Amino acid sequence: MKNGTLIAIRSFIVSAGATAASSFIGVFGVFIGATAVEMGWLQSTANAISNGGQILWGRLSDKFGRRKPFLISGSVVLAILWYMLSYIRTPLGLIIIYAVISLFGSLITVNWFSLIADQINSNVRGRFLSIVNVLSSIGTIASLIAMVFLFRGNVTRDIFIPFSTAAGSYIVSAVLMAFLNESSAVRKFSGNLMITLKNLRHENRLFYRYFMAMNVQGLFWSMAWPMFPMTIVLVMRFDLSQVALLTIASLFTSVVVQYLLGRITDRVSRPPLIFGNRLMLSAIPLFYAFFSNFREFIVLEIYGGILGSIQNVVMNSYLLDIVPDGHRAEYISIMNGFNGLVYLIGALSGGYILAFMEALFPIRTALIYSYMIVFAGRFISAFLFMGLREPDQKGRAPLGLYSFLLRSKQPGNPSGGTMRAR
């Protein structure tokens, strides 16, 4: 079987397993009794470790020179961890196991897309990755639809379905990668990270301004992650089937809108679109605060899916145009690494803010006040994006490989955080 075919099949299977399963992590934490603070630790450690791990694993695998051993061993470890997760019934156990899953997930992410860069010719890589992305989305949506019919209403029983499916998907992934014919090509991580950070403000003002805006708003962006699943479970009383349907609505909308936006983004000025998009996304905490039934939450997920897809297409395109050629991996690792630190602080802060509010008010009122703080921070920090401008260049760099290393921030994912399994 050709390498391209193996890669495509593997993407579909892992998305149907692990990516679908990750959409239930946050709500499962609440179902087994996690407090607001524990939800903050769950979301913050997983996201920080996932982002920071990309820098660590990227350098290690580049020195080793081959991707296949990392992908096979990482898949086996993740299969074991996901299977263990299906038997976890304490918040602390969930936090620890999911943090380790995030660490090895970042190992897969870095090596997976580096493998694609090594194996797929650059003249067809963009088209190939677009096909892989569509297949991955279809796999996740199809899996979630199947789970809706398999769930029976008992959370501790039902959670075994997505988590064991995730484990099985990584076993299949390890088997598929064993048949891969890997070349001996090596891609080195270029540049000195400390020198780049020191000179960043003066040598690349466009990236620095974007970098600062993303990190300031990222603090308030991540504060809501522990709150979303608390609202879904404790206030709305949704079950796993309803969580799956909400996620399907968001993903399906994102796939359709991203397909339509693929070419439009190259014909318009992106900074005003980025600013407007970030401003509109800041309203999502308000929807979570005041929406009161399942139909309204479906509308919320569609709204988030539309704006989230605009964010992914336009902002990924813009970022890849403002990083210098030959240093894309380095700059993106800086972006992801600092995002991880900010998300750690933000998600923890959100959890502690909600815990403080819970000590004063009933849960619904506590969430409303907490969401108002998040909304205010997101709304005000959105104005930092007004200072962006287009780079002085005629053409646009293709999204290609590294757009898929940028983490997709699901703006209204009912479990909180992101779905990032690779």
Side-chain angles (χ1 to χ4, degrees), residues 207-264:
F207 178 83
Y208 180 77
R209 185 179 291 271
Y210 180 82
F211 172 80
M212 292 301 296
M214 284 294 292
N215 279 293
V216 172
Q217 194 178 56
L219 177 68
F220 298 99
W221 189 262
S222 55
M223 282 173 63
W225 289 347
M227 303 174 191
F228 288 161
M230 302 286 282
T231 302
I232 292 296
V233 177
L234 299 182
V235 177
M236 302 309 301
R237 305 292 181 181
F238 293 156
D239 57 24
L240 293 185
S241 294
Q242 290 172 306
V243 172
L245 289 172
L246 291 173
T247 308
I248 290 168
S250 178
L251 286 176
F252 181 78
T253 304
S254 295
V255 171
V256 174
V257 174
Q258 286 190 56
Y259 174 78
L260 297 175
L261 281 176
R263 295 184 178 181
I264 297 176

Side-chain angles (χ1 to χ4, degrees), residues 18-39:
T19 307
S22 66
S23 64
F24 298 102
I25 289 292
V27 292
F28 180 62
V30 181
F31 273 122
I32 61 176
T35 65
V37 172
E38 288 169 331
M39 289 303 299

Side-chain angles (χ1 to χ4, degrees), residues 75-92:
S75 294
V76 172
V77 172
L78 284 170
I80 296 171
L81 290 169
W82 274 106
Y83 188 74
M84 290 173 59
L85 200 62
S86 64
Y87 290 98
I88 292 296
R89 296 294 181 268
T90 64
L92 179 59

